């Protein structure tokens, strides 16, 4: 695969993650698959809005879904999705720690 095409695919997935609700969905799904209703209950996101976010995440390969009876279940497509989420969270924590240390010098 040409590198430019891979970069574009990577950017598309990153764009799909560039929303606080989608990041929250990853956090909620870190341990187990949940139904649409469970995700709505845990996030407090309106069902119509949640549906749009989940659709994007499935289309981009971030989540898998399956239907069973009247319920739709969602789960992370790979444990690597949460691993990446966690690593980015750690980078953010390091940045905040550095900023706090700089601020303390000015007090």
């Amino acid at each position: 695969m040409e590198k430019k095409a891979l970069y574009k695919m990577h950017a598309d997935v990153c764009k799909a993650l560039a929303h606080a609700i989608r990041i929250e969905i990853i956090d909620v799904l870190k341990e187990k698959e949940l139904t649409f209703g469970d995700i709505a209950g845990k996030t407090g996101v309106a069902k119509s809005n949640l549906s749009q976010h989940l659709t994007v995440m499935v289309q981009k390969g971030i989540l898998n879904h399956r239907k069973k009876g009247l319920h739709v279940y969602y789960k992370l497509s790979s444990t690597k999705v949460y691993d990446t989420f966690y690593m980015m969270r750690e980078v953010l924590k390091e940045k905040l720690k550095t900023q706090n240390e700089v601020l303390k010098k000015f007090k």
Side-chain angles (χ1 to χ4, degrees):
M1 176 179 284
E2 183 184 327
K3 277 189 174 183
K4 296 281 186 187
L6 183 59
Y7 295 150
K8 183 174 180 347
M9 290 171 62
H10 191 159
D12 285 344
V13 170
C14 288
K15 278 189 234 175
L17 293 173
H19 196 289
I21 290 172
R22 295 177 190 164
I23 292 170
E24 184 178 5
I25 290 167
I26 290 171
D27 196 36
V28 165
L29 291 173
K30 69 184 171 203
E31 294 176 0
K32 63 181 180 177
E33 79 175 354
L34 296 171
T35 65
F36 178 90
D38 292 336
I39 298 168
K42 288 180 180 284
T43 61
V45 176
K47 290 182 180 183
S48 60
N49 196 6
L50 180 62
S51 178
Q52 292 173 3
H53 288 292
L54 292 170
T55 297
V56 169
M57 294 174 81
V58 168
Q59 288 173 344
K60 296 299 180 182
I62 298 162
L63 301 179
N64 290 332
H65 71 293
R66 67 181 177 90
K67 294 179 182 179
K68 185 175 181 183
L70 298 175
H71 298 285
V72 180
Y73 291 81
Y74 292 88
K75 68 178 184 176
L76 299 178
S77 62
S78 166
T79 57
K80 292 176 183 176
V81 172
Y82 184 77
D83 294 344
T84 302
F85 162 87
Y86 181 79
M87 287 194 327
M88 289 305 302
R89 173 75 48 93
E90 291 301 306
V91 168
L92 177 59
K93 286 179 183 178
E94 287 175 8
K95 181 178 179 182
L96 290 172
K97 182 180 176 185
T98 302
Q99 288 175 344
N100 284 335
E101 289 170 0
V102 169
L103 287 174
K104 285 179 185 178
K105 291 178 183 178
F106 290 102
K107 285 187 176 183

